[in-house]
Amino acid sequence: MARLIAALSGGVDSAVAAARMVDAGHEVTAVHLALARNPLLHRAGSRGCCSLEDAHDAKRVADKLGIPFYIWDFSEQFQHAVVDDFVAEYAAGRTPNPCLRCNERIKFAAMLERAVALGFDGLITGHYAQLEQDLDGSVALYRATDGIKDQSYVLGVMTTAQLQRSYFPLGGSHKPEVRAEAARRGLLVADKPDSYDICFISDGDTAGWLAGFLGSRPGDIVDETGQVLGHHDGSYRFTIGQRKGLALNRPAPDGQPRYVVGIDAAARKVIVAGREHLAVQTLYCGEPIWCSPAQYGSWEGAVQVRAHAPEIPATLTATPDAVVVELHSPVLGVAPGQSAVFYQGRRVIGSATIIGTTPAKPASV
Amino acid sequence: MRIYLDHAATTPLLPGAGEAWQVAARTVGNASATHSWGREARRITEESRERIAAALGAHSGEVVFTSGATEADNLAVLGMAEARRQADPQLNRVLISAVEHPAVRLGAAELAARGFEVTELPVDSQGLLRLGVLSDALRRNPKGIALLSCLWVNNEMGAIAPIPEIAALADSYGIPLHSDAVQAVGLPSITFAAATLPGLSGLSISAHKIGGPMGIGALLIRRDAPIVPLTYGGGQERRIRSGTVPVALIAAFAAALDEVVLKRELQYESLRQLRNTLSDGLTALGANVIGPAHPNHQAPHILYAIFPGVSAETLLMLLDQAGIAASAGSACSAGVIQPSETLLAMGYTPQDALSGVRFSLGWTNTPTDITTLLQLLPDLLTRASSV
C-alpha cells in the first residue's frame, strides 16, 4: 500500500483513475490544482479545465470515494512556467504545446515535489499511458492500449525519476470502458465532455487571446522570393501549415493554395508558399529529456510531432544537447517550438523541442 | 483524535438549541395564519424574538429575522443608505472601516455602483479603527453621510472596535451607525440597548456562530431607523423583510443566544486562558500572533498567527490530516486562499497574508486541545516549510 496523491481535474478520467487506486487498497488523497488566476464559473463546452465548476466536480468525486480533498494553488507557477512561456514562444515565432509544459513544470514537477515533500509516495493521474517495469527494475513509459486516447505524447517530457513516482491506472483501458465504469461507480462526471483545447484560453480563440498580450505588431506576408503578397497584424497569429485567414491580395501563379511555411518574428515576416514547401525531412531538436536511459548515438525509432498525430519512422542521432531526426518519409507543417517525442515500438524514449527543420526534396513529396 | 478550532466559521450546535429546534419543528402552522396552529407558531416566534431582544438589551420590535448575517448586513447597508438617500438626495456618502466582512464591504461596493461615494476608513497595524481617524474624517467632511458601518469584532484576528465611542461620535453628527456583531455576541459588554448606545442604529447577528442552527440570523434595528426592504413579498418582518419565518430555527436561535449570554462571563474567561496558552505556545514556535495586544481590544476566541516561510495552504492540509480544523481566515475562491483584505489593510504583505492561519476557539474546546495542538505543531511546521 502506498500513500498517493490523486490529481483530480474534475473530469471523468482522473476520477476513475483515483477510484481504481482506492480499490487497490492505496491510501489516496485527492488534490485539485487551481491553475487559473481568475477561474471561470463554469466550463464552456470542451474548453477549460479549472473552472469553479470543475473544482466542485472534483470535490464531489472525492466525497464519493470517501477520500480527503484539497486544492493546491499553483496559479502563480502556472502563469510563469506555462502561460508566460506560451506567450513568449508565440512572440518569438514558435508554436509551443502548453500541455507538455504543464506536465513538465507543474504536474510532475512542482506538484509531485510538493507531494513527496509532504510524505506521499507518488502521484496518480488519469492520463492514458502505460508504465511497465524493466528487467532492471526501472519504470518505462509506453503508449496506452486505447490508440485514440493515447496521451504518451504529452508525457514525453517526464524523466525516469518522475515516472518512478507516477501512476497511470487508465493506460490499459479504452475510453468508453472508463465512462461506463464511472457511471457504474455513480460518479456524476461520467458524461462530462472531454477537454481538448488550451485550458487557459476559454473561448478557443488563441490569436485573439495572444493579441491581448502582444498587441498589434504589423508586418508583411511574403512569398519564398521575398515578394510582398499581403499584410498581417502580428506574426503570432499564424502557425506553420496554416492556410486560412491569410487574406493575400494576389493569387499564386499556379493557382494553388498557399500555406504559411515560415515565421520570422524578428523581421515581422510571415512566409507563404505552395503545399510542397511544407514538407520537412529533417528535424533539429534541442534540450532532450529522456524517459528512459539516454540513448546517444544513432538509432532507429519513430517520432511524433503533435498530440494525436501519427508517428513517423526515423533515424535519430542524439547527443546530450541535441537530437537530429532523419524522417523516413517527409511530414507536412512542422513548426519550431513543437515537441518531438521519440518512440521505439510502443515505448517512449524521450522528447526534445524542435528548433529547426530542413525541407524535403520536392521529388520525394 | 479530532480538535475543532474553527468556531469563528461555525460553532457546534448547543444541545439546548438542538432540543428547542426539535420541539418547535413539530409545530404545524404558518406564523402569519390566524387559526390556532398559526397562533401557536406565532407564539413560539414572538417568545423567541422577546428572548433574543432581552438577551441583547433590545426592544422586541427591533428584531428583524433574516436568513443569516450576510442578509442582515446587506439589508442594513443597502436598505439604510437607500432609505436615507430617498429622504434626502444629498445623503449619498457611506463610510465603512477597511476591515469589514465581505457582506458589508461588497454591499458598500454595490452602493458605489449605484452612485454612492464609499470611503474606507483605514485601520492601524492592530486592525483597529482609531477614533481620531473617524473624527478627522467626520470633521473634514461631515456632509452627506448616509451611513457608517463598522465591524464590532473582526472575524479574522478578533480586534474589538470601540463601538460605544464610535456610536457616540456618529450620533453627535446625526449619522446612523450599523455594526456587524457576528463575532461579538460572546463579549460581556455587547448590547443594543438604546439607552446605552443611542447612536447605534443597526446590529447584525447570526445564530450558527453562537451555537444555534445555520440559516437564521437577525438585524436588530431601531424602530424609527430609516430602512427600505431589499426583497419584496409578504412583509412578515416589519415590512422590511419578507418570507415565511422559520419557526424552529428562530426557537433554536433564541435558546442558543440565551445560553451564550447567560454563561458569557465564565466563557469569556476560560476562552481567554485558552487563547493565552495558545498565543504563548505559537510565539515560542516562531509564529507572529497579530492583532491588538491589549485584552480590552482583543476577542478571546480568535487568534491569527503568521508562520513566516510557511504556506497556509500546506499547513492547513497537514493540520487537517492530523485531525485539526483551522482556517485561512479569509475569503476563498474555488478553495484557493486569497490574501486577506483585512491583513493588507493592517499593512501586512500578501506573502504574510498567505502564511497566516486563524485558530478560533469555542464552547467545545478544552486545555488539552491546545496542548495537543502545540505538541503536534513543531513537526507539522517542519514539514510545511520543506515544501
Side-chain angles (χ1 to χ4, degrees), chain A residues 3 5 29 31 34 37 39 52 55 68 70-73 114 117-120, chain B residues 311 313-314 316-318 320-321 333-338 354 383-384 386-387:
Chain A
R3 287 189 76 216
I5 292 284
T29 296
V31 168
R37 286 258 175 90
L52 297 183
Y70 302 97
I71 291 180
W72 286 359
D73 178 8
R114 187 186 286 189
L118 293 176
F120 291 91
Chain B
S311 133
E313 181 181 84
T314 302
L316 288 170
M317 172 179 170
L318 292 172
D320 181 46
Q321 291 186 324
S333 161
V336 173
I337 299 169
Q338 308 286 348
L354 293 174
R383 282 163 65 196
S386 71
V387 174

Side-chain angles (χ1 to χ4, degrees), chain A residues 148-351:
Chain A
I148 297 167
K149 281 303 296 180
D150 173 50
Q151 290 172 312
S152 58
Y153 175 80
V154 293
L155 300 173
V157 288
M158 291 178 68
T159 64
T160 46
Q162 291 165 338
L163 291 172
Q164 203 81 38
R165 292 200 178 269
S166 298
Y167 297 80
F168 304 133
L170 305 189
S173 300
H174 286 78
K175 180 79 187 216
E177 291 167 39
V178 171
R179 283 203 181 277
E181 182 176 333
R184 204 163 56 240
R185 290 176 179 275
L187 300 171
L188 290 173
V189 290
D191 298 326
K192 196 167 167 176
D194 288 1
S195 58
Y196 289 107
D197 292 295
I198 297 169
C199 68
F200 51 86
I201 303 179
S202 56
D203 62 359
D205 175 13
T206 302
W209 184 88
L210 284 166
F213 292 88
L214 300 175
S216 177
R217 298 186 178 189
D220 295 332
I221 301 178
V222 300
D223 68 12
E224 63 273 38
T225 68
Q227 196 175 359
V228 176
L229 301 179
H231 306 284
H232 65 78
D233 200 31
S235 64
Y236 59 83
R237 292 174 170 275
F238 299 87
T239 185
I240 305 274
Q242 180 174 340
R243 176 184 158 189
K244 289 182 179 155
L246 295 176
L248 302 179
N249 53 24
R250 233 176 303 173
D254 58 4
Q256 293 300 305
R258 281 175 294 202
Y259 298 80
V260 175
V261 299
I263 293 167
D264 183 346
R268 298 189 171 186
K269 279 197 175 110
V270 172
I271 303 137
V272 298
R275 183 178 158 87
E276 68 280 6
H277 291 271
L278 279 179
V280 162
Q281 192 72 58
T282 311
L283 312 177
Y284 300 94
C285 312
E287 298 174 37
I289 297 169
W290 302 100
C291 304
S292 63
Q295 290 205 28
Y296 299 132
S298 267
W299 46 279
E300 293 301 308
V303 65
Q304 187 175 328
V305 294
R306 64 175 70 89
H308 308 295
E311 63 176 42
I312 306 139
T315 303
L316 298 96
T317 307
T319 65
D321 305 320
V323 181
V324 178
V325 181
E326 207 58 57
L327 299 168
H328 291 182
S329 55
V331 62
L332 295 181
V334 178
Q338 278 176 231
S339 290
V341 176
F342 315 130
Y343 292 84
Q344 271 186 331
R346 301 183 65 78
R347 178 171 176 168
V348 185
I349 306 300
S351 70

